Amino acid sequence: MPKVVLAYSGGLDTSVAIRWLKEERGLDVYAVAIDLGEERDYEGIRKKALDIGAIGSEVIEAKDEFA
């Protein structure tokens, strides 16, 4: 199955996008969130992507690069 990487925020729009890409386009979805220093539950975001149907989910810590 073809694969795609989705910039994932954990919000409604990107959560729906995971399911849509999987079901309507037949793609394996890898969700990637980037930690730029905001106070967010990144582990929860990662888990949510997997629960929705992503075959992989990663949080990239990029605070130093962003600053």
Side-chain angles (χ1 to χ4, degrees), residues 7-56:
Y8 184 64
S9 68
L12 179 61
D13 54 345
T14 54
S15 295
V16 169
I18 290 174
R19 182 73 66 183
W20 185 81
L21 288 166
K22 183 177 178 178
E23 293 178 1
E24 297 296 322
R25 297 293 182 192
L27 300 170
D28 283 338
V29 179
Y30 288 89
V32 177
I34 301 176
D35 179 359
L36 300 175
E38 290 182 272
E39 295 293 322
R40 300 186 69 191
D41 177 14
Y42 287 103
E43 181 56 30
I45 290 171
R46 191 191 71 73
K47 184 179 179 325
K48 182 178 179 181
L50 294 171
D51 290 346
I52 292 169
I55 64 168

